[in-house]
Structure formats: C-alpha cells, structure tokens
Amino acid sequence: MGIDIDVRDDAQFELLLDLVPHTINAEGWRGDQLVFSASDSGTSLWMVVTQGQEAELLSRLEAQGIRPTALAVQPPGR
C-alpha cells in the first residue's frame, strides 16, 4: 500500500508521524528518485542530504553525544 504525503504540508506530515510507529517500511521519493528509506529492523536509515544538511545533522547528533561515526556514506551504485 502506498500513501502520498507532501512533507511541506504540516497536516500531511503530522499524518506521516502518526503512522510511523505502525509501519514496517517507509520510503520517501522525489519524482523517480528515492531520497530516504527506513524499515522495521530499527538499525538503519538512509537518506540523501546536501553537504549543508549533513553538517547540520552531524552537529545535532554531536549535541546529543552521538559520534559522527554513526553515519556512513553509502557506496556508489547502491
């Protein structure tokens, strides 16, 4: 089953947040490009980010005591 969510719309994004605890897989797409994926394993999440977004994410993780090595660059072709 697929549900289209416009994450720029607060009400639709709120719906996504409500569904997250009850789903086994979530993917985000921009056109035909997959930009994030999370599954029920609870051990990984991958997403496409800009260099600025990566720096901001690393800063926020560091503020929570999470080492930058928690993130890995996905090898090409995957």
Side-chain angles (χ1 to χ4, degrees):
M1 178 172 81
I3 301 171
D4 292 332
I5 302 280
D6 183 349
V7 296
R8 298 168 296 184
D9 180 311
D10 289 343
Q12 290 186 37
F13 190 72
E14 206 47 52
L15 174 63
L16 176 63
L17 294 178
D18 289 343
L19 291 174
V20 166
H22 309 286
T23 188
I24 60 170
N25 186 53
E27 295 177 343
W29 294 80
R30 178 178 295 135
D32 62 352
Q33 180 185 9
L34 185 62
V35 293
F36 77 84
S37 176
S39 67
D40 64 345
S41 70
T43 60
S44 67
L45 164 72
W46 76 262
M47 64 188 109
V48 176
V49 295
T50 65
Q51 288 180 337
Q53 291 168 328
E54 178 186 16
E56 183 178 345
L57 178 57
L58 287 171
S59 175
R60 289 180 178 200
L61 291 175
E62 184 178 17
Q64 296 294 318
I66 301 170
R67 296 175 184 240
T69 55
L71 298 182
V73 175
Q74 184 172 348
R78 291 193 80 196

